[in-house]
Structure formats: C-alpha cells, structure tokens
Amino acid sequence: TSNQMWGGRFAAGPDAIMEAINASIGFDKRLAAQDIAGSRAHAAMLGATGIVEASDVEAIRKGLLTVLSEIESGDFAFSAALEDIHMNVEARLKEVIGAPAGRLHTGRSRNDQVATDFRLWVRDQLDAAETGLLALMRALVGQAESGADWVMPGFTHLQTAQPVTWGHHMMAYVEMFARDLSRVRDARARMNESPLGAAALAGTSFPVDRQMTAEALGFDRPMANSLDAVSDRDFALEFLGCASICAMHLSRFAEELVIWSSAQFRFVTLSDRFSTGSSIMPQKKNPDAAELIRAKVGRIFGANVALMMVMKGLPLAYSKDMQEDKEQVFDAADNLMLALAAMEGMVRDMTANRPALEAAAASGFSTATDLADWLVRVLDLPFREAHHVTGSLVALAEKQGCDLPDLTLEQMQGVHNGITGDVFDVLGVHNSVASRTSYGGTSPERVREQVARWKENLG
Ligand code: ARG
C-alpha cells in the first residue's frame, strides 16, 4: 500500500530495500521528546494566529501529550514504514485524536521540523558537555590543591626537562578544559536560533508567528533565511568540533594516566573502582578507562569528518543526505559524555604517589637549567657559555653514574673554577620549582593563586 502521508501521488508502496535505506526511525526515535516539543509549540502558534481553530489545537495538544507518554513508557510501536520520528508521531496522533491531527502540519515541513528537533537535541548535549566539563575541572582543581607543592618531573619529548609541581600539571588541564567549555558556550550561543516556520525551504504563505515558536522552544530568535534554516548543519558540526578538541584533550590526559600508572613510573595509583584486572595475570590492575577514553577520540574525530563529508557537496536546501547527520552526532555525544564522566571519576579517585614523583623529579639532571641560570646570575657568564659548562657537568655526572647534586665541589670546579658551594642550593628540586615565580610559572605560590582563582570561578 502507498504511504499514507503522500499516497495521493503514489500508486505503489516502496520496495523493501527502499524502505530499508530510507527509514531513520531506528535512530531518530531519540528525537521524540524534541519532536513533540516542536509540534506543541507549532500547534500553539497555529491556534494563536488563527490559522487553526482553537478546538483542533486543543485536541492536538492533548493528543501529543498522550503520544509522548506512550513513547516515554515504552509502549509505542515504532514503524519503519512510517520512515522517521516525525511521521511516526503524526500517524499515532491521528489514531489518538482523529481528524484534527491532519491540521498539525499546516505551514510546516519535515525539513524545518527535523532541523528544529535536532537543534534542540544538540543544544541539550552542549549543556551536558558543559556540566561534564565543570565536574572534571573541579576534580582537577581538587588534585591540584592537595599537591600544589609536590614536585614531579616536567617533560618535553617525554624526556626529563625541568621539575614542575603536581598542582601545576593538573592546572594545565584545567586551562585546556576551560577552553573547551568556552567553545561549547560559544557554539550554544551561535546555534540557538529557530528554523521552525521556514517550512520546506521557501517559508510559508500562512501568517505564522516564528518569533512565538522560537520563544516557546527557548531559542533566542528565528533564523533569518528559510533556505539556510533547513539546510544548515553547522550547529552539529560545531558540536562535533568542540567534542573533537575536548576528546583530544581527554586523550592526552588518558595517555599520561596510562604511562603514570605503570610499574615503571608509579606516579599515580588509580582506584579499584576505575581499574580492571586480568583473567590470567593475578597481579594486574589495568587502566582500561583511560585506554578507552584515549580510543573514543577515534570515533569522535570520525563523526566530525564523516559529517563534514556528508555536507560538503550539498546544494541548497535540504537533501536526504542530511539524514545521515544524526547517528554520527548521537554516537559522538554519547561517547564524549561517557569519557568526561569516566575521566572525572578517575581523577577524583586517583592517588598521586608523592615519593615516586619526587624521586623521579630529582633524576635525569632535571635541575641542569637551574645550574646554568646560577652560572649566569652569580658568575655573570653569558647564557650560552653557562649552557656549555653545565653540559660538561652533566656529561661528567653521567660518566660517574650519578646525578648533578652528587658531584663534589672539586669535581665541579674542575669544569669551571668559579663555582662555589652555594651552587648546591639550586640543584635541589624544591628550590628549583620555588624559584619559578614568573606569572604562569610552576612555583607552589603561583599554583595556589591559580587554584584559588579557579575555585572561585567554579563556585
Ligand atoms: N528523516 C528526515 C531527516 O532526518 C526528516 C526530513 C525529511 N524531509 C524530507 N524532505 N524527506 O532528515
């Protein structure tokens, strides 16, 4: 039998394969609540403007509530023959209220309808990402506060570079996630315009009040161009862009947790609640959550690229290609929220191993730069010469199989006879970090200022 929505023009129904490739109900049923919210706003507006009689609008309103409760309670029979969530809801509304259901679609198209539903859904995800980011940032600030003056090695090229503080390292991630948060907020502000009332692509001859529906749905204003309104998916791409950068940050941190929790580093102990065991090796405690967070990035980047590819060749306005937007965004959103929550849990629960951090901080000639700076400050050597002298001292220590503070004063003076005993002060890691008081530097003093600033920001 031909489709009840457009059967007028069709003699035959679709081939089974046509139905299979065309139907989106399997995934877009996730837009049910948004679809019904959009329809309620549209119906109320049809009543307020006199486009549809009040009694019909009232029947539609009640009927939509019934359909919503059926969907929420799980006793709604979704049908692939009805293609998508929009037609599933409308068909059921017809069964529930009869003839007035046929007036709901006045001055509207599935094109502005789906654009509206999907915007509402993505807007909720931006809000959820904001909540998840804030929780993670609070957990990081908590770690930074308890270890503001704990010393650990700072790395470049994953080679020991200079000592930093644990608090400083945690607060670096707070800055990164704060940028993600600001991107999410920007995206939300930009996307919060209503496509509803753009109809199929050209607008409508009915005297619709787009301002009214925009307001009812929490949008700041109606979109200004009907062609753009139905063909734009920037909001979904911006969400995926925000999600991709955030996931990249999560992945970098996850990578550090994997390294840090290894027996070779032992910088952190992850809690049992956020670790897994091995079915064969009894000693194992694996950082699976961190590894999975690291892997989630792949699918989130994938979604971003996939939707860019879907959109890049589409002429205005709507093409069915755009139905492929949802699964990518659904999957990316689900996995981003999961990754944020798992990271928050891991960070909240993890224990930094202070002795291991400090022992590692002192190895690998981590205070060589402090030594070179001392030669400049105290002996007035040009920095390049100080760099060279320090390099010779590192080579000497390496030959002796010891670290810089283990060299004797005599050995040092053999390399440069101006060196005096107080050089040893700057070779200690605590003095090293304490000296880095420049704005944004790693000294505990500066770190505590940042912790205080963020605690106030985060409430
Ligand atoms: N299921 C469709 C989608 O997700 C709804 C819009 C269909 N519009 C159309 N003209 N066929 O994009």
Side-chain angles (χ1 to χ4, degrees), residues 6 22 24 27-28 31 83-86 109-111 114 233 318-326:
W6 53 71
N22 201 35
S24 54
F27 50 87
D28 69 13
L31 299 178
E83 272 192 45
D84 56 25
I85 186 63
H86 323 295
S109 151
R110 275 189 298 156
N111 295 349
V114 73
R233 291 295 180 273
Y318 177 87
S319 297
K320 197 62 173 265
D321 310 51
M322 288 159 73
Q323 176 165 287
E324 292 279 314
D325 55 2
K326 288 168 214 68

Side-chain angles (χ1 to χ4, degrees), residues 32-349:
Q34 289 77 11
D35 192 67
I36 289 172
S39 288
R40 287 181 63 193
H42 183 68
M45 181 278 292
L46 292 175
T49 51
I51 298 170
V52 172
E53 248 176 67
S55 57
D56 285 347
V57 169
E58 180 54 15
I60 290 170
R61 189 188 69 81
K62 281 203 191 131
L64 285 170
L65 289 176
T66 304
V67 175
L68 180 62
S69 74
E70 286 175 1
I71 292 176
E72 279 172 348
S73 63
D75 31 71
F76 186 98
F78 292 103
S79 151
L82 290 166
E83 272 192 45
D84 56 25
I85 186 63
H86 323 295
M87 295 204 294
N88 269 266
V89 169
E90 194 183 322
R92 179 66 189 140
L93 183 68
K94 178 116 189 282
E95 286 171 8
V96 175
I97 68 168
R103 303 205 181 269
L104 172 60
H105 214 52
T106 315
R108 184 177 77 169
S109 151
R110 275 189 298 156
N111 295 349
D112 60 337
Q113 189 178 358
V114 73
T116 302
D117 296 1
F118 198 30
R119 262 176 205 263
L120 291 172
W121 196 89
V122 169
R123 192 175 70 186
D124 283 350
Q125 297 305 305
L126 288 166
D127 291 342
E130 168 158 352
T131 306
L133 279 163
L134 286 168
L136 174 55
M137 288 164 72
R138 287 192 187 100
L140 286 162
V141 171
Q143 283 286 349
E145 189 172 28
S146 46
D149 58 353
W150 299 4
V151 183
M152 66 181 283
F155 300 94
T156 58
H157 317 268
L158 198 56
Q159 307 291 316
T160 300
Q162 295 175 352
V164 295
T165 47
W166 170 258
H168 200 48
H169 201 116
M170 294 299 111
M171 293 309 288
Y173 280 102
V174 172
E175 295 292 332
M176 291 150 81
F177 293 121
R179 284 193 298 275
D180 292 331
L181 186 62
S182 126
R183 265 184 286 275
V184 162
R185 287 172 175 164
D186 284 353
R188 192 194 195 284
R190 199 163 22 253
M191 65 90 75
N192 201 30
E193 295 187 339
S194 174
L196 197 56
L201 75 164
T204 170
S205 57
F206 291 102
V208 294
D209 184 346
R210 294 193 58 209
Q211 190 66 48
M212 181 182 169
T213 47
E215 255 168 54
L217 295 168
F219 289 115
D220 296 326
R221 64 193 77 85
M223 291 180 79
N225 181 300
S226 62
L227 286 169
D228 180 46
V230 296
S231 77
D232 170 53
R233 291 295 180 273
D234 290 1
F235 63 95
L237 288 168
E238 282 199 51
F239 171 72
L240 293 173
C242 293
S244 293
I245 297 178
C246 177
M248 175 273 288
H249 290 151
L250 288 168
S251 177
R252 292 181 72 176
F253 194 27
E255 169 70 3
E256 294 200 316
L257 294 179
V258 170
I259 295 172
W260 291 354
S261 61
S262 68
Q264 288 69 25
F265 271 75
R266 295 196 315 111
F267 284 7
V268 296
T269 306
L270 299 175
S271 72
D272 288 356
R273 298 186 335 134
F274 282 94
S275 308
T276 54
S278 157
S279 56
I280 173 171
M281 295 166 282
Q283 87 284 10
K284 292 279 275 188
K285 186 167 161 189
N286 293 327
D288 289 32
E291 294 169 80
L292 287 163
I293 289 169
R294 194 172 55 185
K296 295 292 186 200
V297 178
R299 54 206 290 175
I300 294 173
F301 286 9
N304 193 6
V305 173
L307 186 54
M308 288 285 245
M309 292 304 288
V310 166
M311 295 305 297
K312 78 171 184 62
L314 300 186
L316 304 189
Y318 177 87
S319 297
K320 197 62 173 265
D321 310 51
M322 288 159 73
Q323 176 165 287
E324 292 279 314
D325 55 2
K326 288 168 214 68
E327 283 167 293
Q328 301 295 344
V329 173
F330 290 163
D331 186 73
D334 290 345
N335 284 290
L336 179 70
M337 303 316 154
L338 199 51
L340 281 168
M343 187 58 95
E344 189 224 330
M346 266 195 302
V347 171
R348 222 169 254 301
D349 273 19

